[in-house]
Amino acid sequence: MTPEHPRHLAEALRRRSWLISAWPWRTLAYLTSTVPISGVLAGGLLVIGAPLLAAVNALLLHGRPPGIALLLFLALGSLFLLALAPIVSFPVAAIERWRLRLVDSRPLPASPWPGLVARYRSAATWREVAYLFWLGGFAPVAYWVFLLLVLLDLGMVTSPWLVGDAGPVVIWRPIETTGEAIPYAIVAVLLLPVLCYLAGLLAAAQAAVARWALAWPVDATALREVARSRTRLVGAYEAERRRIERDLHDGAQPRLTSLTLQLGLARLDVPEDSPAARPLAVAHDQARGLMVMLRQLVHGIRPQSLTDLGLAGAVRELADAATIPVTVHADLHGEMPEIVETTAYFVVSEALGNVDRHARATRAEVRLTRAGGDLVVEVSDNGHGGADPARGTGLTGLADRVAAADGRLLLASPPGGPTLVRVELPCRR
C-alpha cells in the first residue's frame, strides 16, 4: 500500500499529483543549494584536474610528454588532495545530511568525529570522500547539461519575441519570422513539465547517491547480539508457556475435574424438588463449562495432540476435524525445536480455519517438508482467492507468530484462486 505522504522524492515522482505538490519546490531548493557546494569542490579539483587534462591533451594531440616539474606537481598535489579529503569530507557530509532532508525525510544519523587517526582508517570515511569527488566532479557536468536544456527551452519559448529586427534566432535552423518561431515556442511550453520531471530525476539520483555514501554501516556485531537476545527471549517465553501449561494441566485441571465430579454426585443425592437442587445444577453446569474453557486454554498454549502424536500426527488430526477434505503430505525427519513445531501447528490450524471461514473451497492440501535446515509448511486450497492481510483474516497475527520464530510467511492468493500459504521456519537450535 502506498503511504499517503511520500517519504522521499523518488516515491513522490511516481505520484500523478507531483507537479502540483510541494515536491517540485523542494527539488528546486535541493538543486539550487547544491550549486555553491559543488562549485567550490569543483574548483578545488580543478587545481589538480586542469594541469592533468592539459598534460594529457599535449601528449595525445602534440606528442609532447609532460615535464618533470609538472609530474612532480601532479603527484604532490594528488597526495595532498587525498590527505586533505577525509578532513574536508566531514563538514561537507554533515551539510549534505542536513540538505538531504529537503527531498528525503527518512532518518540518516549523523556521524560523530571519531578522531583524526580513526577518521583515516574508517571505510565509511572513504565513502564520504568518494561522494566528495562525485559532488565536485560528476555533479557539475550533470548540472551543466541540465542547464543547457533549460536555456534551450527558454530560448524556444521566447523566440517569437526575439525574431525580427534583432536578427534570426538559431535553434536547429535559422528562424527569421514570428510565424516560424511560434511552433517552437508551443513545443517548448509543452516540454516544461518534462523538464520538471528531469529536475526531479536528477535530484532523486543525487539523493540516492548521497544516502548510499553518507549512511554509516550498521554494526554487524550489534545485530548479531540483538538476534541472540531475541532468540533467548523467544526461548524464555516458550519455556514459560510450557510451565503454565504443565501447571494448568497437572494442577488446576484435575482439581476442577474432581470438583465437577463431586457436584455431579451431589446432584444425584439431592431431590429435584429440593431448594438446593437448582443452585447445585447451576454450579455443576458452570464447573463443566469452566473445565471446557480450561481445556481450551491448555490446548492453546501447546496442543496435547502435538505432544502425543508429533507434528505430522497433530496436523492430520486438524485435517480430520476440517469441514472439507484435506490431504496431508508429511516428509519429516529428525527432531525440531518445540517452538518450530508449535508455530507450524498453529500456522496449519489458522490457515485451515481461514479456508473454512473465507475461501469457499471444496478441498485443501497441507505439505510438511524439510528443506535444508528449514521446516517448510504449505497450505493450499482451491477457493476463490483474494486473501488480504489488511482485511483481518488472521494472516497478520500469523506472520507475527512466524517472525517470532525467526521465520517468514509468503502468501499467493490471486482473485479467483487458488491460495497458497507458505511458511519457512529455521530449525537451528
Side-chain angles (χ1 to χ4, degrees):
M1 184 180 295
T2 305
E4 183 179 355
H5 300 291
R7 299 184 63 191
H8 54 90
L9 180 57
E11 188 177 273
L13 280 169
R14 295 192 288 266
R15 299 293 186 91
R16 294 181 179 179
S17 59
W18 184 79
L19 284 175
I20 57 175
S21 67
W23 285 99
W25 299 105
R26 296 172 68 171
T27 299
L28 181 62
Y30 185 66
L31 294 178
T32 304
S33 60
T34 301
V35 172
I37 300 174
S38 182
V40 171
L41 295 176
L45 291 177
L46 282 177
V47 174
I48 301 298
L52 180 61
L53 290 176
V56 172
N57 183 62
L59 181 62
L60 294 179
L61 298 182
H62 305 290
R64 294 198 306 267
I68 300 298
L70 181 58
L71 289 176
L72 186 61
F73 171 78
L74 291 176
L76 293 177
S78 299
L79 290 176
F80 177 76
L81 199 63
L82 285 175
L84 192 63
I87 299 175
V88 175
S89 65
F90 183 77
V92 173
I95 295 173
E96 287 299 297
R97 289 188 184 93
W98 177 77
R99 287 197 321 112
L100 189 61
R101 289 183 290 181
L102 287 170
V103 291
D104 193 339
S105 61
R106 293 173 296 179
L108 189 63
S111 60
W113 176 257
L116 189 60
V117 176
R119 180 73 182 164
Y120 282 87
R121 297 171 59 182
S122 171
T125 296
W126 294 104
R127 285 218 313 268
E128 292 179 356
V129 170
Y131 179 73
L132 198 72
F133 283 97
W134 183 88
L135 194 59
F138 176 80
V141 176
Y143 276 50
W144 272 111
V145 172
F146 180 72
L147 179 62
L148 289 176
L149 292 176
V150 172
L151 292 177
L152 178 62
D153 193 75
L154 292 178
M156 293 169 62
V157 170
T158 58
S159 60
W161 292 275
L162 299 178
V163 298
D165 297 336
V169 175
V170 178
I171 299 178
W172 288 283
R173 64 184 184 84
I175 300 175
E176 299 180 351
T177 65
T178 301
E180 292 178 350
I182 288 178
Y184 289 100
I186 295 174
V187 171
V189 171
L190 295 177
L191 288 177
L192 286 175
V194 177
L195 286 177
C196 290
Y197 273 99
L198 282 178
L201 289 174
L202 178 60
Q206 180 179 334
V209 173
R211 173 165 285 277
W212 172 83
L214 303 179
W216 277 60
V218 178
D219 189 352
T221 304
L223 280 182
R224 286 194 295 269
E225 182 57 33
V226 168
R228 294 192 193 102
S229 175
R230 177 183 177 187
T231 302
R232 289 194 297 268
L233 287 174
V234 171
Y237 173 69
E238 187 65 19
E240 184 66 15
R241 281 166 49 109
R242 293 299 309 277
R243 185 192 65 78
I244 295 173
E245 176 210 355
R246 286 194 301 270
D247 291 345
L248 292 176
H249 185 271
D250 300 337
Q253 191 170 351
R255 292 186 180 184
L256 186 59
T257 303
S258 176
L259 175 63
T260 305
L261 181 61
Q262 294 297 328
L263 288 173
L265 292 174
R267 287 184 65 183
L268 294 177
D269 294 338
V270 175
E272 293 184 0
D273 56 351
S274 172
R278 179 169 178 76
L280 193 60
V282 171
H284 185 221
D285 292 339
Q286 289 179 349
R288 286 194 302 176
L290 186 58
M291 189 169 63
V292 171
M293 183 184 301
L294 184 61
R295 188 180 298 117
Q296 291 174 346
L297 287 174
V298 173
H299 182 81
I301 294 174
R302 179 174 172 86
Q304 188 63 34
S305 61
L306 191 58
T307 303
D308 298 339
L309 306 175
L311 179 60
V315 168
R316 289 190 175 96
E317 190 175 82
L318 285 175
D320 293 339
T323 58
I324 61 172
V326 179
T327 305
V328 178
H329 302 278
D331 183 14
L332 302 176
H333 53 84
E335 295 184 359
M336 291 176 288
E338 289 185 359
I339 186 173
V340 171
E341 288 188 339
T342 305
T343 303
Y345 177 88
F346 283 112
V347 164
V348 175
S349 177
E350 180 68 25
L352 291 180
N354 285 337
V355 172
D356 288 340
R357 291 189 296 269
H358 308 293
R360 283 180 266 174
T362 58
R363 57 183 173 82
E365 184 176 351
V366 179
R367 288 186 176 273
L368 304 172
T369 56
R370 293 289 293 270
D374 294 347
L375 169 65
V376 179
V377 181
E378 293 182 336
V379 182
S380 59
D381 66 75
N382 64 344
H384 59 75
D388 184 2
R391 292 208 302 261
T393 56
L395 291 172
T396 302
L398 204 58
D400 292 340
R401 180 187 286 270
V402 171
D406 202 21
R408 65 172 184 163
L409 183 146
L410 306 173
L411 172 67
S413 183
T419 295
L420 172 64
V421 177
R422 177 186 173 96
V423 170
E424 299 170 0
L425 297 166
C427 294
R428 298 182 298 272
R429 289 185 178 273

